[in-house]
Amino acid sequence: MDRNVKTLLEKARATATYAAEKATQVADAASRMAGDMAMQTKLNLQVFDMNSEIDAVYKEIGRIVYLVHTGEGTDEGLDDRFAQIDERLAKVAELKAAIADCRTTVICPQCGKECGRDDAYCVRCGHKLS
Ligand SMILES: [Zn+2]
């Protein structure tokens, strides 16, 4: 085989291998991201549900306070409701922390560039990340 042709074929093969590896990496990243997205969606729904429950308890507190105001009720059950809200707000904070953990990117606090979560330094400004 002509040497030039041989070199050309070797180059083409190397490029094909590189492209295949790159495609696999992109597919892996995409599937990882899809998993993250599914988890984030699930967690976001839980935050939404928890906030709905908190709103319902706020409403009950409002009713109790109003009945105390009109003299038709007592403040019995208020402390329980406060505790329920405290508990649910703590759960919301936990869920939000879990959502942040799902993210594959972080925002550079220095310049606002979106960087990879595992990047040690910002890709734009070089600021040390975490
Ligand atoms: Zn930066």
Side-chain angles (χ1 to χ4, degrees), residues 108-113 115 122-127 129:
C108 171
Q110 185 77 21
C111 73
K113 172 78 178 165
C115 300
C122 173
V123 291
R124 182 193 283 156
C125 76
H127 184 78
L129 302 170

Side-chain angles (χ1 to χ4, degrees), residues 1 8 16 26 33 46 49 61 75-76 83 107 118 123 129:
M1 197 186 300
L8 187 68
V26 170
M33 214 176 285
Q46 286 179 29
D49 287 347
I61 291 170
D75 65 358
E76 196 184 328
I107 302 296
D118 299 329
V123 291
L129 302 170

Side-chain angles (χ1 to χ4, degrees), residues 13 34-35 42 75 83 94 103 117 128-129:
R13 198 174 307 126
K42 203 175 131 192
D75 65 358
E94 270 175 40
R103 297 209 174 105
R117 193 179 157 184
K128 193 174 186 335
L129 302 170

Side-chain angles (χ1 to χ4, degrees), residues 64-100:
I64 292 170
V65 170
Y66 181 73
L67 291 176
V68 168
H69 161 75
T70 60
E72 294 170 60
T74 66
D75 65 358
E76 196 184 328
L78 262 190
D79 287 338
D80 279 354
R81 266 118 182 144
F82 292 152
Q84 285 172 21
I85 287 181
D86 289 344
E87 204 176 283
R88 286 173 170 85
L89 285 175
K91 183 73 185 160
V92 167
E94 270 175 40
L95 289 165
K96 285 188 172 171
I99 290 167

